[in-house]
Amino acid sequence: MPGLPGATLPAESPPTWGTLLLDTVQKSSRAQARLALHVEDLERKLEGGLAELRGSLSSLRGATSGSSSGSEPPWDELLDALDLLEEASRVAADAALASGLMGVAARIERFLTSSGITRLASIGHIPDGRLFRIVGTQPHPSFAEGAIARVVRAAALRGEHLIREGEAIIVRNTP
């Protein structure tokens, strides 16, 4: 008995819910560690890809500096990748994954800005018809009718020159 000197308590196994909770916490910790490694790997690959792109752009600028064509390098793939990253981070169920994706997107955005590219994604504002094509509607009670509810594809400018038309879904709150 507990009150008697020299008495010992019988050994008890931990409750089943405690074991399940511990197992769940351990699995969650391992999953977060794997996710962090995956995001770091993506960032490393992105940095390598951006370095390669910088080199390609430098050689392209050197090759076209004497020509009068004034043609832009093909920015669509990089701009599309950035749009996809932003959409993936918007719908990601895991906050850590969304944060990692937004970090990668921010790096690409800084690269584009340093290359003279401006992306336009004016959510909540009335779209400029010269920059955006409307591809759908959806209700959004906190925005004005006709405002951009979601950008599907950001518009892109170099200076005042449109290099890619944007696509937007606008607000329609009335049936």
Side-chain angles (χ1 to χ4, degrees):
M1 295 314 254
L4 299 175
T8 59
L9 293 174
E12 293 182 23
S13 63
T16 306
W17 64 267
T19 305
L20 291 174
L21 180 62
L22 178 62
D23 186 46
T24 303
V25 168
Q26 288 174 340
K27 285 179 181 177
S28 176
S29 294
R30 287 191 298 269
Q32 284 180 330
R34 282 191 305 272
L35 180 61
L37 288 173
H38 186 64
V39 169
E40 285 177 20
D41 186 46
L42 284 173
E43 288 177 343
R44 200 171 23 261
K45 288 178 181 177
L46 175 66
E47 285 302 318
L50 289 177
E52 184 180 317
L53 184 59
R54 283 184 195 101
S56 297
L57 287 174
S58 293
S59 19
L60 180 64
R61 285 183 188 132
T64 60
S65 62
S67 74
S68 59
S69 68
S71 65
E72 285 286 329
W75 293 104
D76 277 348
E77 284 189 47
L78 190 60
L79 291 164
D80 287 344
L82 186 52
D83 291 336
L84 289 171
L85 273 170
E86 289 176 344
E87 179 65 13
S89 67
R90 185 180 73 79
V91 299
D94 185 277
L97 176 60
S99 176
L101 291 172
M102 286 309 297
V104 171
R107 285 184 172 183
I108 294 174
E109 186 77 45
R110 283 192 302 272
F111 171 78
L112 289 170
T113 300
S114 71
S115 298
I117 304 295
T118 304
R119 288 179 69 243
L120 302 172
S122 306
I123 293 177
H125 296 93
I126 301 297
D128 183 338
R130 297 169 295 174
L131 304 175
F132 285 95
R133 178 177 39 185
I134 307 308
V135 295
T137 62
Q138 75 179 46
H140 199 297
S142 57
F143 290 149
E145 191 81 12
I148 296 176
R150 186 165 60 93
V151 173
V152 176
R153 182 177 184 212
L157 300 170
R158 173 167 261 173
E160 296 295 317
H161 177 67
L162 179 68
I163 61 172
R164 185 175 86 152
E165 180 182 45
E167 296 177 352
I169 295 175
I170 62 168
V171 174
R172 284 284 176 240
N173 290 323
T174 55

